[in-house]
Amino acid sequence: MNMLINAAGTVVADALRGMAAAHPELVVDAENRVIVRRDAPVAGKVGLVSGGGSGHEPLHGGFVGPGMLDAACPGEVFTSPVPDQMVRAAAAVDSGSGVLFVVKNYTGDVLNFAMAAELAEEEGLRVASVLVDDDVAVTDSLFTAGRRGTGATLFVEKIAGAAAEEGAPLERVEAVARQVVTGTRSFGVALAPVTTPAKGTPTFELPAGELELGIGIHGEPGRERRPMMTSHEIADVAVDAILADLRPDAPVLALVNGMGATPLLELYGFNAEVQRALAGRGVAVVRTLVGNYVTSLDMAGCSVTLCQIDEELLRLWDAPVQTPGLRWGR
């Protein structure tokens, strides 16, 4: 197992120590597994909290900062954080204006965030939750009841984060987040399997010369396995799968996301094909983000996420953001 680690059992703790050293603008509690923006709580501001298993970086800890999340709770690799982490995070960012939990639709995350919301409310915090379930590939996978939460999480955290940064009340921030979820769909492809530090070997088999269409971010099975395809062909499959589920009647934001081991050279080439496919189907793209944002450790592959927007959502997307994983306008 060739990995840049000390031991499988210390991967997350070591990463958090390194993150703390690299980003003094964050308060990184490696013992309690909570990452908080240093100026939290911000007076009059709704707090945004998210989290999930480690291994998807920069999601979620890399999106903590002005204009996005106020706190994130990293679990062990591909394992949900626990309610105590979420309650601690909520308490750290609550200014009296309430806290919004952004929850990807994985069974452990859903159950633990629900329990955390109850515990936080018992402590006097006002909490709302938004469930992200954008993946069109499969329903009821190994990790979920219903659709998986994937690339839409970035759009929810950025756009709802901008609304919160402007001082919008909890009800408005929640409504914006739900609007983004409703108008966003994703589809992923694996070119090579993922290896977790604990297992040390690939979590699934994918023979050379084949790919998996509709894969999840934990290596869950997709819709089907096919012989290797060209970037042109993969883009058509991904775009058609999304548009079969959500036909935009407005412009979209596009995320062409790497799964962790795919070079930017390939991702930009794939983006060219995604843009071609969308233009040919009459879909207008107003902003595009290309890179590794919602990853799966060392999996080779990509995903496409489309977010239908209006003028207000576009304004919030363009608003300043300053986090380790996403920054512009500041």
Side-chain angles (χ1 to χ4, degrees):
M1 181 175 67
N2 294 333
M3 291 185 175
L4 196 62
I5 64 174
N6 292 317
T10 67
V11 168
V12 176
D14 291 345
L16 289 175
R17 290 191 297 108
M19 188 175 195
H23 297 286
E25 71 275 16
L26 303 178
V27 176
V28 181
D29 184 343
E31 180 179 356
N32 293 304
R33 305 286 176 90
V34 176
I35 302 165
V36 181
R37 56 186 282 184
R38 187 166 291 279
D39 60 351
V42 178
K45 180 187 179 302
V46 170
L48 255 68
V49 175
S50 193
S54 297
H56 305 304
E57 290 74 22
L59 192 82
H60 295 271
F63 297 145
V64 174
M68 215 159 174
L69 293 176
D70 293 274
C73 310
E76 287 295 331
V77 172
F78 293 176
T79 303
S80 171
V82 298
D84 284 352
Q85 290 172 259
M86 301 160 185
V87 173
R88 184 174 284 108
V93 304
D94 179 52
S95 68
S97 298
V99 175
L100 180 68
F101 284 160
V102 178
V103 187
K104 299 191 307 302
N105 189 33
Y106 295 97
T107 302
D109 290 358
V110 171
L111 293 175
N112 287 347
F113 268 105
M115 186 179 300
E118 293 179 5
L119 294 171
E121 287 171 350
E122 289 176 3
E123 295 184 7
L125 279 67
R126 188 160 56 104
V127 177
S129 297
V130 172
L131 186 69
V132 182
D133 57 353
D134 55 303
D135 183 16
V136 303
V138 297
T139 301
D140 299 331
S141 73
L142 298 176
F143 287 74
T144 64
R147 291 178 167 176
R148 303 176 289 215
T150 58
T153 314
L154 181 149
F155 288 133
V156 172
E157 292 176 356
K158 171 62 185 78
I159 293 173
E165 201 71 39
E166 292 180 350
L170 179 60
E171 294 75 15
R172 173 60 181 159
V173 177
E174 179 185 3
V176 166
R178 292 189 186 280
Q179 182 182 350
V180 174
V181 172
T182 299
T184 306
R185 298 291 187 273
S186 298
F187 188 87
V189 179
L191 309 179
V194 57
T195 299
T196 62
K199 191 171 187 291
T201 56
T203 58
F204 64 96
E205 294 184 3
L206 188 56
E210 296 186 5
L211 54 73
E212 183 91 12
L213 296 172
I215 200 74
I217 59 174
H218 305 97
E220 308 99 309
R223 287 183 171 182
E224 61 178 310
R225 188 165 291 183
R226 292 188 190 178
M228 187 60 199
M229 302 158 64
T230 65
S231 178
H232 183 111
E233 293 166 333
I234 294 170
D236 284 336
V237 169
V239 167
D240 284 341
I242 293 171
L243 297 185
D245 195 273
L246 177 72
R247 183 68 194 187
D249 56 10
V252 300
L253 305 173
L255 169 64
V256 173
N257 174 68
M259 301 305 293
T262 302
L264 275 172
L265 181 69
E266 295 177 31
L267 290 177
Y268 277 117
F270 181 61
N271 178 54
E273 296 299 340
V274 170
Q275 301 291 332
R276 171 200 53 78
L278 289 170
R281 291 155 177 79
V283 179
V285 180
V286 293
R287 301 286 187 276
T288 302
L289 194 61
V290 179
N292 290 290
Y293 294 100
V294 183
T295 63
S296 183
L297 291 172
D298 63 344
M299 183 189 291
C302 58
S303 62
V304 177
T305 302
L306 302 180
C307 174
Q308 180 173 286
I309 59 162
D310 55 23
E311 289 184 3
E312 175 64 5
L313 293 188
L314 181 59
R315 185 186 68 80
L316 292 170
W317 174 256
D318 286 340
V321 60
Q322 187 170 350
T323 71
L326 200 69
R327 59 178 61 208
W328 56 68
R330 294 178 67 95

